[in-house]
C-alpha cells in the first residue's frame, strides 16, 4: 500500500485549512461535503485517492467513531482530515439502530444490506404508534493526527418512520424516513433538496461556522 503524505496545511489553524482529506470513500458524501466546503475555499480529497484504507468503526458512540476515522486518515496522509459518522435513531426503539445503523440486520443474523436493515426496522416498529426518529450526524475535523482540539459538529434531521417505502432517491433508510414539514420521504426529495437539509448539511454548516470563528 502506498501511503501518500502531504504535509502542506497539516498543522495549519482552522482558518488556514486549504486541503482536507475526507475519511470516507462514499462518492455521495464526497459530492455533498465538497460542494459546501468549496464555498469556504477548502478542497476536499477522498481518502481512497490517497490509498488510505477504510478505518474500523468499533466504538459505541458516533463521536468516537468519527474521531477515529479522522485521526486514521490524518495519520496516513499528513493532511487535515474530516470524518463523519451517522445513523438513524428511533425513539420507540430507544435510539436503535443508532450507531449500528449500517449493520442493523446483520447484528440479528441477517445480511448487510439496506433492504434487510429496512425490513428489520419495519418489523421492530410493527404496531407502534410513536414513529418519531431522527438521522444523526457527527463530524470530526482534525488539523493533524494528534490534534488535541478537534472540531466537532453535529446535526439532527427529525422525521417519522413509515411502514411502507416511498421514493427512489437516496440510500439506506431514506424510503422509510418521512419529513412531515416537506410532506415527503427522504427518498422522494431531489438530491439537492436532501443535501441542503439533511443531518450532514446541518452538521457541516455548524462546522463551517466554527471554522470561521477561528479565522
Ligand atoms: P455511515 O455514517 O456512513 O457509517 O452511515 C451509517 C448508516 O446510517 C448508513 O449505512 C445508513 O444505514 C444510515 N444513514 C446515515 N445517513 C443516512 C441517510 O442520509 N440516509 C439513509 N440512511 C442513512
Amino acid at each position: 500500500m502506498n501511503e501518500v503524505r502531504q504535509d502542506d496545511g497539516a498543522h495549519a489553524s482552522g482558518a488556514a485549512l486549504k486541503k482536507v482529506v475526507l475519511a470516507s470513500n462514499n462518492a455521495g458524501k464526497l459530492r455533498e461535503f465538497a460542494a459546501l466546503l468549496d464555498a469556504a475555499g477548502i478542497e476536499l480529497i477522498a481518502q481512497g485517492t490517497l490509498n488510505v484504507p477504510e478505518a474500523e468503526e468499533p466504538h459505541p458512540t458516533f463521536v468516537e467513531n468519527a474521531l477515529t476515522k479522522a485521526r486514521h486518515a490524518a495519520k496516513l496522509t499528513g493532511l487535515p482530515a474530516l470524518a463523519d459518522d451517522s445513523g438513524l435513531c428511533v425513539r420507540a426503539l430507544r435510539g436503535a439502530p443508532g450507531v449500528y445503523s449500517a449493520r442493523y440486520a446483520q447484528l440479528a443474523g441477517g445480511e448487510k444490506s439496506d433492504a434487510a436493515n429496512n425490513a428489520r426496522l419495519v418489523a421492530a416498529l410493527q404496531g407502534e404508534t410513536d414513529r418519531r426518529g431522527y438521522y444523526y450526524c457527527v463530524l470530526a475535523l482534525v488539523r493533524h493526527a494528534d490534534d488535541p482540539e478537534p472540531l466537532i459538529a453535529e446535526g439532527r434531521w427529525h422525521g417519522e418512520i413509515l411502514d411502507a417505502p416511498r421514493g427512489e432517491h437516496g440510500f439506506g433508510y431514506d424510503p422509510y424516513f418521512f419529513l412531515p414539514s416537506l410532506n415527503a420521504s427522504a427518498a422522494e426529495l431531489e438530491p439537492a433538496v436532501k443535501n441542503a437539509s439533511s443531518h450532514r448539511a446541518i452538521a457541516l454548516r455548524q462546522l463551517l461556522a466554527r471554522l470561521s470563528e477561528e479565522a
Side-chain angles (χ1 to χ4, degrees), residues 8 22 50-51 69 80-81 114 120 178 187 207:
D8 51 322
L22 178 65
L50 300 175
N51 294 323
K69 289 188 274 187
D114 289 343
R120 184 174 179 203
F178 184 73
L207 189 82

Side-chain angles (χ1 to χ4, degrees), residues 24 26 29 32 57 62 69 84-88 97-104 112-114 117-118 135-138 157 170-175 177 186 194 198-200:
S24 166
N26 180 314
K29 280 186 191 172
E32 213 172 306
E57 301 180 28
F62 294 98
K69 289 188 274 187
D84 80 313
D85 200 41
S86 57
L88 175 68
V99 74
Y100 306 108
S101 290
R103 294 179 281 145
Y104 188 42
K112 190 178 181 201
S113 72
D114 289 343
N117 288 339
N118 283 320
Y135 281 132
Y136 180 64
C137 170
V138 171
W157 198 25
F171 69 99
Y173 299 93
D174 284 347
F177 188 73
K194 180 186 170 192
S198 75
H199 45 314
R200 270 181 291 281

Side-chain angles (χ1 to χ4, degrees), residues 150-161:
L151 287 175
I152 306 288
E154 62 177 359
R156 283 185 185 78
W157 198 25
H158 292 273
E160 293 168 7
I161 313 304

Side-chain angles (χ1 to χ4, degrees), residues 2-76:
N2 289 328
E3 288 166 9
V4 179
R5 291 188 61 87
Q6 303 197 1
D7 285 320
D8 51 322
H11 303 288
S13 73
L17 292 179
K18 292 280 174 248
K19 204 189 270 188
V20 171
V21 59
L22 178 65
S24 166
N25 291 322
N26 180 314
K29 280 186 191 172
L30 181 72
R31 265 197 307 276
E32 213 172 306
F33 289 143
L36 284 162
L37 287 175
D38 187 54
I42 297 172
E43 181 193 352
L44 198 61
I45 308 160
Q47 66 176 8
T49 64
L50 300 175
N51 294 323
V52 177
E54 296 276 345
E56 295 293 315
E57 301 180 28
H59 301 294
T61 68
F62 294 98
V63 67
E64 287 172 292
N65 285 329
L67 254 180
T68 300
K69 289 188 274 187
R71 281 203 195 104
H72 173 80
K75 191 169 183 175
L76 294 184

